[in-house]
């Protein structure tokens, strides 16, 4: 193995799974958990129970990381691979702190990358340091911490995970090795642009939230009235999802047609195709997009994100990741790319306008991405990409 020492960044569910998995393969794993008091809590949890345990359906692994620290300097120097597992809004801060500490030639893995991570990679001049960026389309596991620092449970594993790479030539062997550590198959996408445009979370989450906001807004609901998130997709919401997906495919085609680079972007596929490829026989009735959501066993029972408003009263959650992550680090990035290739996106615009109003934010204003809160997004224009060619060159 060429990977010997891993630094994990973050302190959430994914870190509680990655750490024991990699440690069980004999690697040195150090965790940098800078958020709040997580490092202290994780260290005391892990030490008091003899390691972090991750529980799969048929087995458990329990391992103790070498170092768990709130400081990057204790964990990043000397690591062959640095893995960031946090929501996308924490990526910039993490990259900023690790950049001065990493070895040249190191690999930075981000799980999941969401859209536009490539602009931050260039922003910190990581290519000049011969560092390689490996972005995951999603987290390989559906997982939750059961007891902080002590135990996490894995509910499902995505056996194949799409990844994109940038800089320094990531060799096939490296991806095989990383896949062996994670016990999954890594499938390489054509480019980071494919990963950014092919981010299906930017369609599914804002699209379904749009339907829910139109129906319920800030209305109070009883526990029984909270709708199912995926199973409850209406025919109208399915049409919105389909339209967002089609507009993204139109952006893909415009880029392929207008760019002077030879791009195919074949791995940017429709939402329906992605659903069927990802869930296959879990979908009992694949005849339409609506039925594919409503009858997908993997989605069963999951309710819309709500917050408690009072005794027995709930309302849609304005801080849900489906909005605060998938809009600024998803659909808005795609809108920014649409502007660069002069592709109109009326449905995406309508969804953005509705969601930003619900959130009390302003990103899109009179058709341009210059609302007062645009600075909290990852649109390419914020990183100096104001032409299609500049965007494409940053992503391949
Ligand atoms: P999580 O919610 O458990 O972890 C969040 C962690 O990120 C926190 O514990 C903290 O360490 C860090 N963090 C949060 N805000 C921060 C901030 N402002 N500054 C610095 N650090 C901050 O996340 P997770 O479940 O491990 O998921 C990581 C990513 O994977 C998220 O984007 C999530 O949406 C996605 N995801 C998770 C699952 C799952 O089942 N857990 C499945 C698919 C995708």
């Amino acid at each position: 193995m060429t990977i010997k020492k891993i630094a994990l960044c973050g302190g959430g569910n994914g870190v509680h799974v990655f750490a024991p998995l990699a440690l069980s393969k004999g690697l040195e794993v150090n965790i940098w958990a800078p958020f709040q008091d997580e490092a202290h809590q994780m260290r005391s949890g892990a030490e008091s129970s003899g390691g972090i345990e991750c529980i799969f359906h048929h087995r458990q692994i329990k391992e103790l990381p070498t170092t768990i620290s709130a400081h990057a300097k204790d964990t990043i120097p000397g690591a062959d691979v640095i893995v960031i597992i946090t929501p996308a809004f924490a990526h910039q801060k993490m990259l900023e702190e690790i950049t001065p500490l990493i070895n040249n030639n190191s690999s930075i893995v981000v799980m999941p990358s969401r859209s536009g991570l490539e602009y931050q990679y260039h922003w910190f001049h990581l290519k000049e340091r011969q560092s390689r960026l490996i972005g995951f389309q999603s987290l390989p596991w559906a997982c939750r911490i059961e007891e902080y620092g002590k135990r996490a449970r894995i509910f499902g594993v995505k056996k194949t995970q799409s990844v994109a790479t940038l800089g320094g030539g990531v060799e096939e062997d490296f991806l095989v090795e990383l896949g062996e550590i994670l016990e999954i198959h890594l499938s390489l996408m054509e480019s980071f642009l494919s990963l950014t445009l092919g981010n299906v979370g930017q369609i599914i989450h804002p699209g379904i939230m749009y339907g829910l906001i139109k129906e319920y807004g800030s209305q109070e609901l009883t526990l029984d009235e909270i709708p199912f998130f995926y199973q409850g997709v209406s025919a109208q919401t399915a049409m919105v999802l389909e339209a967002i997906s089609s507009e993204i495919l139109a952006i893909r085609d415009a880029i392929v047609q207008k760019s002077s680079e030879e791009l195919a972007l074949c791995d940017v596929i429709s939402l329906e195709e992605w659903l069927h490829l990802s869930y296959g026989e879990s979908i009992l009735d694949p005849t339409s997009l609506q039925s594919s959501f409503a009858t997908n066993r993997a989605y069963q029972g999951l309710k819309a994100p709500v917050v408690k408003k009072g005794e027995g009263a709930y309302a849609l959650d304005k801080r849900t990741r489906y909005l605060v992550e998938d809009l600024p680090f998803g659909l808005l990035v795609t809108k920014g790319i649409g502007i660069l290739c002069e592709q109109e996106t009326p449905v995406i615009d309508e969804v953005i306008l509705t969601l930003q109003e619900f959130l009390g934010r302003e990103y899109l204003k009179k058709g341009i991405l210059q609302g007062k809160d645009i600075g909290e997004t990852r649109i390419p224009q914020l990183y100096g990409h104001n032409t299609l060619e500049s965007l494409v060159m940053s992503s391949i």
Side-chain angles (χ1 to χ4, degrees), residues 138-366:
S138 185
L139 198 66
W141 321 284
C143 55
R144 288 289 175 272
I145 295 169
E146 286 190 342
E147 207 173 342
Y148 201 79
K150 296 187 178 179
R151 203 172 53 255
R153 188 171 292 274
I154 292 97
F155 299 102
V157 179
K158 296 191 185 81
K159 283 289 173 201
T160 295
Q161 186 65 228
S162 294
V163 298
T165 67
L166 259 184
V170 178
E171 285 159 19
E172 186 68 21
D173 288 359
F174 176 84
L175 291 183
V176 170
E177 215 176 304
L178 189 59
E180 279 169 9
I181 294 169
L182 298 172
E183 302 174 8
I184 56 174
H185 173 253
L186 300 182
S187 141
L188 188 59
M189 296 182 103
E190 181 190 350
S191 67
F192 247 86
L193 190 50
S194 306
L195 193 61
T196 282
L197 283 177
N199 165 11
V200 286
Q202 68 174 334
I203 308 175
I204 298 176
H205 301 143
I208 298 180
M209 285 306 294
Y210 172 83
L212 292 171
I213 290 164
K214 285 280 172 196
E215 187 164 355
Y216 302 100
S218 300
Q219 183 187 321
E220 290 196 356
L221 305 165
T222 64
L223 194 58
D224 290 342
E225 286 169 342
I226 300 168
F228 286 109
F229 190 71
Y230 301 101
Q231 283 167 279
V233 165
S234 66
Q236 218 170 356
T237 298
M239 276 166 62
V240 172
L241 292 166
E242 220 154 332
I244 299 174
S245 174
S246 300
E247 289 183 358
I248 293 173
L249 296 186
I251 291 174
R252 172 200 67 185
D253 295 343
I255 296 172
V256 171
Q257 201 191 358
K258 292 180 182 175
S259 171
S260 58
E261 293 297 316
E262 288 239 347
L263 291 170
L265 300 178
C266 303
D267 32 24
V268 183
I269 56 178
S270 76
L271 176 59
E272 194 159 354
E273 197 181 342
W274 179 86
L275 267 179
H276 294 166
L277 278 174
S278 306
Y279 293 103
E281 293 184 352
S282 285
I283 298 174
L284 302 179
D285 175 6
T287 49
S288 70
L289 189 60
Q290 187 195 8
S291 68
S292 298
F293 274 106
T295 66
N296 185 350
R297 278 187 298 224
Y299 286 153
Q300 246 171 16
L302 296 169
K303 293 274 188 129
V306 290
V307 282
K308 205 162 183 187
K309 291 303 228 185
E311 202 44 53
Y314 303 84
L316 292 175
D317 183 4
K318 292 186 195 247
R319 298 302 303 158
T320 170
R321 297 260 175 88
Y322 296 163
L323 296 174
V324 299
E325 201 175 0
D326 290 302
L327 194 55
F329 302 90
L331 207 54
L332 280 157
V333 178
T334 292
K335 173 66 192 166
I337 297 174
I339 289 173
L340 293 180
C341 63
E342 297 173 327
Q343 186 63 42
E344 292 200 351
T345 54
V347 178
I348 291 178
D349 293 6
E350 157 68 12
V351 170
I352 291 172
L353 289 170
T354 302
L355 300 194
Q356 70 180 23
E357 192 188 338
F358 182 71
L359 287 172
R361 287 286 198 276
E362 184 187 69
Y363 305 117
L364 189 60
K365 191 177 178 185
K366 296 184 182 154

Side-chain angles (χ1 to χ4, degrees), residues 9-15 33-35 38 85-90 93-94 111-112 114 138-139 141-145 148 158 321 325:
C9 310
N13 301 303
V15 166
F35 191 57
E38 287 184 342
I85 314 182
T86 62
F89 47 75
K93 178 122 196 13
M94 294 219 142
M111 310 168 74
R114 305 296 185 202
S138 185
L139 198 66
W141 321 284
C143 55
R144 288 289 175 272
I145 295 169
Y148 201 79
K158 296 191 185 81
R321 297 260 175 88
E325 201 175 0

